[in-house]
Amino acid sequence: MFRPKIPTMPQPTGLVTPPALVESTTVTPAAQAPQMALAATSAPFRPAVQLTPGTALALVGGGTAVVLIVGAVLVSMLLAVAVTATSTAVCAVVIRSLLTRR
């Protein structure tokens, strides 16, 4: 009841053949050229991002704010770990001194 039951793997009974080779198909670029030309002429060209000086200043200010907030959070977490370690060390010293006096 408490012994694990290990399944037995069946052994291959005959010759194992490798999988068949898959032949790659060739793509003819002439069939796709009219579709690409039609797609290129239907949409006007626009730049993806337009940065004005005000937008760049807002991005720099937002990035600075994010860095300062993340830094403050990380420093506060480090301070919490340091305070916890210090209090644990003080408690250990007090308990050790109480146990040695008895």
Side-chain angles (χ1 to χ4, degrees), residues 4 13 15-16 21 34 44-45 56 86 97-98 102:
T13 56
L15 294 176
V16 179
L21 295 176
F45 177 72
T86 305
S97 66
L98 288 174
R102 289 188 174 182

Side-chain angles (χ1 to χ4, degrees), residues 4-102:
K5 295 181 181 178
I6 301 172
T8 58
M9 297 296 293
Q11 299 295 326
T13 56
L15 294 176
V16 179
T17 59
L21 295 176
V22 178
E23 294 183 15
S24 63
T25 58
T26 58
V27 177
T28 57
Q32 295 178 355
Q35 295 173 355
M36 293 175 64
L38 179 63
T41 57
S42 63
F45 177 72
R46 290 186 344 160
V49 177
Q50 295 178 352
L51 285 179
T52 62
T55 307
L57 187 63
L59 285 174
V60 169
T64 303
V66 166
V67 167
L68 289 177
I69 290 172
V70 169
V73 168
L74 291 176
V75 167
S76 64
M77 289 171 61
L78 181 63
L79 183 63
V81 168
V83 167
T84 304
T86 305
S87 64
T88 304
V90 168
C91 288
V93 168
V94 168
I95 290 172
R96 187 169 126 193
S97 66
L98 288 174
L99 290 176
T100 55
R101 287 185 185 175
R102 289 188 174 182

